[in-house]
Amino acid sequence: MASESNTPTAVTRAFGPRRRSTTTATPRLVDAQELWDIDDVAAYLGVTKQTIYSWRTSGYGPAGFRVGKHLRWRAATVITWTVRLEEAQ
């Protein structure tokens, strides 16, 4: 009798910020035009919100914009920025 393998299966994560949840999160696809707030950008990049603010004041990091008093980033802009960083290495 064949038994099931105990080897973990690879889990792929679609582009998109990690969301904290009490249940097991399923990877989700992100619309390139989706707007992210600072929590989303910080979660995607794996840094603190303060790091994003510091990068913004120094001119580093993905380009964001204001919607009223709120900062927003297009998902595509953040992803493109990370791809360019990777290509530069």
Side-chain angles (χ1 to χ4, degrees), residues 6-89:
N6 288 333
T7 349
T9 57
V11 176
T12 56
R13 190 166 133 327
F15 287 128
R18 295 176 214 143
R19 304 266 184 195
R20 291 181 189 212
S21 131
T22 56
T23 61
T24 304
T26 307
R28 68 181 189 92
L29 295 176
V30 174
D31 176 11
Q33 296 304 308
E34 183 177 337
L35 294 180
W36 288 354
D37 62 18
I38 192 153
D39 292 312
D40 295 328
V41 175
Y44 178 78
L45 297 175
V47 297
T48 65
K49 291 191 313 187
Q50 185 57 48
T51 298
I52 302 297
Y53 288 127
S54 296
W55 286 352
R56 186 166 165 80
T57 58
S58 68
Y60 184 73
F65 57 95
R66 290 206 171 274
V67 177
K69 65 179 186 174
H70 305 282
L71 284 172
R72 296 292 182 257
W73 290 260
R74 290 224 181 268
T77 303
V78 177
I79 293 166
T80 300
W81 181 77
T82 59
V83 169
R84 288 187 181 147
L85 281 178
E86 185 179 16
E87 290 172 347
Q89 293 184 10

